[in-house]
Amino acid sequence: MSYRTRFGKDTSACDSGNTAEGSGSSIGPNEVSNDFDHEIAQLTKHRSRPHQLLSQDMPGKSRLLVSTMKMLVGRESNHSGRGRFSSADGCHVLSRYLPINGPWGVDQSTSPAYVSQFSNDGLFFVAGFQGGHIRMYNVDKGWKVQKDILTKSLRWTITDTSLSPDQRYLVYASMTPIVNIVNVGSSMTGSVANVTEIHEGLDFSVDGDEDEFGIFSVRFSTDGRELVAASSDASIYVYDLQANKVNLRIPAHASDVNTVCFADETGHLIYSGSDDNLCKVWDRRCLITKGQAAGVLMGHLEGVTFLDSRGDGRYLISNGKDQTTKLWDIRKMSSRAMYPGLRDHDWDYRWMEYPAHAKTLKHPNDQSLATYRGHGVLRTLIRCYFSPAYSTGQKYIYTGSSDHCVYIYDLVTGAQVARLNHHEGPVRDCSWHPLYPMLVSSSWDGTIARWEFPGDDQVPTLVRPRARRRRGYYNY
């Protein structure tokens, strides 16, 4: 399917000329800008605020959480007139039960865990290890291994995995231009590349491309027809699975593109983050006429390791090597980047601690809505996410950390509401179950750990792994 056929000729988003310049801000530790409260804060509160008859404020008293008992009594008394909880009522109840009990062991490997994610419905969980193993667990069947994949064409590590929306296929990437795709819907549990099952290779290199590159990040589109990938050659690639070829290559940044994702279900907008310290927004409807990013988001003083979309085509968060997570509104983006020139070029996040003096530096043109500090973004490309919409109304931000913990922040207040401490190595990835108060963390110590509220009936049992020496450091 051609580019024009897939997306039509709608260029209305391109006709307004340059994007408006975002206003700068100077935000202290875990503080929000003055105009933050009028938009996403209200949207977040609306998603998790109980019915007004249950949450009427007492004179002279601030709004308090409504107890679960009062919520249940109100439902049985039909206060809302619906005879059931609204989605906001449900979020108000569920969002207070944070997955902080445990941990319980899911799996233990002798190889560092690099990536891990729940499927969209929470039925499956996928974990990828540096040694070349990917395991897909059936959550509802006691975390039974549904698919045990031994990869091929692996260079250094599995950098990313992505499960298709219909949960039939899984792709995995490494530091090569080849992304492999596996049929995880087959009846066979063991999947050894090209021995027991075919792992088809999808070549992301473009004709005439002589320089080999690696893939840091790969994601399915919502309709499952395309893959978007971030690469070490400073580019973004879009792969058409029906045509079995790359249909778009964007020379996107001035350095490695570490992270990329679709902004929403339409597939028109793409977000990217790079070691050039920038997040960028790409409108595929405009690329033919403009050939450049729809806008740039400035604020990080070091490279961007990961970003996550809120799913509404407007808000996203990013983790940066400046040891911060930032919240963005793409309506504040600029048409061009302005570099502050504050970077210490002798510093390398892979094996050095973040300089103490750099912790007080601020980007003079910071366009972020909020900045969250406390976790560490060192050694590897640490990932961050919005909490689930169904159970929390996306009122939290959570992230792995190089100090071996998982951090959970309140999106609106910026407060650190939880710190999960168990691992013996950096927590590169973590995933919150889309429906239940359950979070799984994956670490370089090889441990996949499950955190819950209230947890299983048994006492948490998880053997701490023995510390292992790392051989070399890579920007993966």
Side-chain angles (χ1 to χ4, degrees):
M1 188 176 294
S2 69
Y3 176 87
R4 287 183 178 272
T5 303
R6 173 73 175 85
F7 292 97
K9 299 181 180 180
D10 177 17
T11 58
S12 58
C14 313
D15 296 335
S16 58
N18 291 337
T19 55
E21 296 289 336
S23 59
S25 61
S26 296
I27 303 175
N30 293 26
E31 295 179 4
V32 297
S33 58
N34 292 332
D35 59 345
F36 180 58
D37 191 55
H38 81 278
E39 183 77 27
I40 189 172
Q42 296 304 321
L43 289 172
T44 303
K45 292 175 182 177
H46 178 72
R47 281 188 172 187
S48 58
R49 177 174 290 169
H51 192 274
Q52 59 182 358
L53 292 179
L54 294 172
S55 59
Q56 291 176 345
D57 297 334
M58 297 295 291
K61 292 187 177 181
S62 59
R63 183 184 297 270
L64 300 175
L65 286 173
V66 180
S67 70
T68 302
M69 181 62 71
K70 185 175 180 181
M71 293 289 295
L72 292 172
V73 170
R75 184 185 67 180
E76 296 305 308
S77 302
N78 198 20
H79 272 48
S80 66
R82 299 188 184 98
R84 57 181 174 80
F85 278 161
S86 66
S87 60
D89 291 335
C91 283
H92 185 78
V93 173
L94 289 174
S95 64
R96 73 183 65 188
Y97 299 117
L98 295 176
I100 58 176
N101 287 6
W104 288 263
V106 173
D107 207 344
Q108 176 71 57
S109 173
T110 57
S111 179
Y114 263 69
V115 291
S116 60
Q117 282 295 295
F118 281 106
S119 60
N120 290 336
D121 60 5
L123 179 60
F124 301 109
F125 181 82
V126 176
F129 301 86
Q130 185 186 34
H133 264 95
I134 300 172
R135 292 192 178 107
M136 181 173 171
Y137 309 86
N138 190 314
V139 178
D140 284 0
K141 293 184 178 180
W143 295 85
K144 178 183 177 181
V145 176
Q146 175 129 341
K147 202 75 173 178
D148 194 0
I149 301 167
L150 183 60
T151 63
K152 73 165 188 175
S153 303
L154 192 66
R155 180 172 295 175
W156 175 246
T157 184
I158 295 167
T159 53
D160 206 2
T161 62
S162 185
L163 190 63
S164 65
D166 62 7
Q167 301 175 170
R168 293 177 57 196
Y169 297 97
L170 180 139
V171 294
Y172 61 87
S174 182
M175 293 308 296
T176 76
I178 305 298
V179 172
N180 292 97
I181 187 166
V182 186
N183 181 1
V184 293
S186 66
S187 59
M188 186 175 295
T189 299
S191 179
V192 181
N194 298 338
V195 176
T196 60
E197 288 186 325
I198 298 298
H199 293 193
E200 182 182 357
L202 310 177
D203 191 353
F204 277 67
S205 59
V206 180
D207 292 340
D209 224 348
E210 297 182 357
D211 296 328
E212 189 160 309
F213 57 88
I215 302 293
F216 286 117
S217 176
V218 63
R219 285 289 178 271
F220 272 98
S221 60
T222 304
D223 60 13
R225 296 181 179 181
E226 294 180 314
L227 295 170
V228 62
S231 74
S232 62
D233 69 349
S235 299
I236 298 169
Y237 292 83
V238 178
Y239 194 97
D240 187 323
L241 290 168
Q242 291 183 323
N244 199 28
K245 67 178 183 179
V246 172
N247 67 4
L248 180 63
R249 175 181 180 267
I250 307 172
H253 288 268
S255 189
D256 292 351
V257 184
N258 295 323
T259 175
V260 67
C261 69
F262 290 104
D264 57 19
E265 294 182 352
T266 67
H268 294 323
L269 295 181
I270 295 173
Y271 298 149
S272 63
S274 167
D275 273 340
D276 64 9
N277 309 351
L278 301 175
C279 298
K280 291 188 178 182
V281 181
W282 305 89
D283 191 331
R284 297 171 65 180
R285 297 163 294 184
C286 301
L287 284 172
I288 295 176
T289 57
K290 292 181 65 177
Q292 62 184 21
V296 178
L297 293 165
M298 298 172 290
H300 281 297
L301 296 173
E302 297 290 344
V304 178
T305 65
F306 196 74
L307 52 80
D308 185 42
S309 173
R310 193 168 179 263
D312 55 9
R314 181 172 294 176
Y315 298 103
L316 67 148
I317 56 173
S318 61
N319 250 357
K321 297 175 186 177
D322 57 3
Q323 315 305 298
T324 68
T325 298
K326 285 184 175 289
L327 173 67
W328 310 90
D329 181 346
I330 69 170
R331 294 171 297 179
K332 292 171 67 67
M333 63 190 179
S334 300
S335 58
R336 59 188 178 87
M338 291 169 281
Y339 293 88
L342 299 175
R343 192 181 190 283
D344 182 354
H345 292 279
D346 293 330
W347 178 73
D348 193 315
Y349 92 119
R350 293 173 294 179
W351 55 75
M352 300 171 70
E353 295 303 312
Y354 195 59
H357 74 273
K359 296 179 181 180
T360 60
L361 297 178
K362 298 178 182 179
H363 196 297
N365 304 108
D366 190 356
Q367 297 165 303
S368 62
L369 295 180
T371 302
Y372 308 85
R373 294 181 174 90
H375 59 293
V377 187
L378 300 168
R379 312 292 177 258
T380 185
L381 302 176
I382 304 290
R383 299 185 166 195
C384 62
Y385 303 92
F386 288 98
S387 63
Y390 175 83
S391 59
T392 73
Q394 295 179 303
K395 68 182 295 184
Y396 303 112
I397 288 171
Y398 65 103
T399 176
S401 179
S402 54
D403 68 358
H404 313 171
C405 300
V406 176
Y407 287 75
I408 303 176
Y409 300 105
D410 187 293
L411 182 144
V412 175
T413 68
Q416 177 186 310
V417 297
R419 177 176 176 266
L420 311 183
N421 182 12
H422 165 76
H423 292 284
E424 297 289 343
V427 177
R428 190 179 190 273
D429 207 354
C430 46
S431 186
W432 197 315
H433 194 284
L435 305 179
Y436 308 129
M438 176 195 301
L439 186 148
V440 177
S441 54
S442 55
S443 168
W444 272 12
D445 63 14
T447 303
I448 306 296
R450 186 178 87 249
W451 308 80
E452 294 188 7
F453 187 96
D456 294 340
D457 293 334
Q458 74 269 23
V459 176
T461 55
L462 201 158
V463 178
R464 285 188 179 271
R466 291 183 297 176
R468 299 187 306 274
R469 292 186 62 183
R470 300 283 305 156
R471 293 186 299 172
Y473 295 93
Y474 294 82
N475 184 26
Y476 312 150

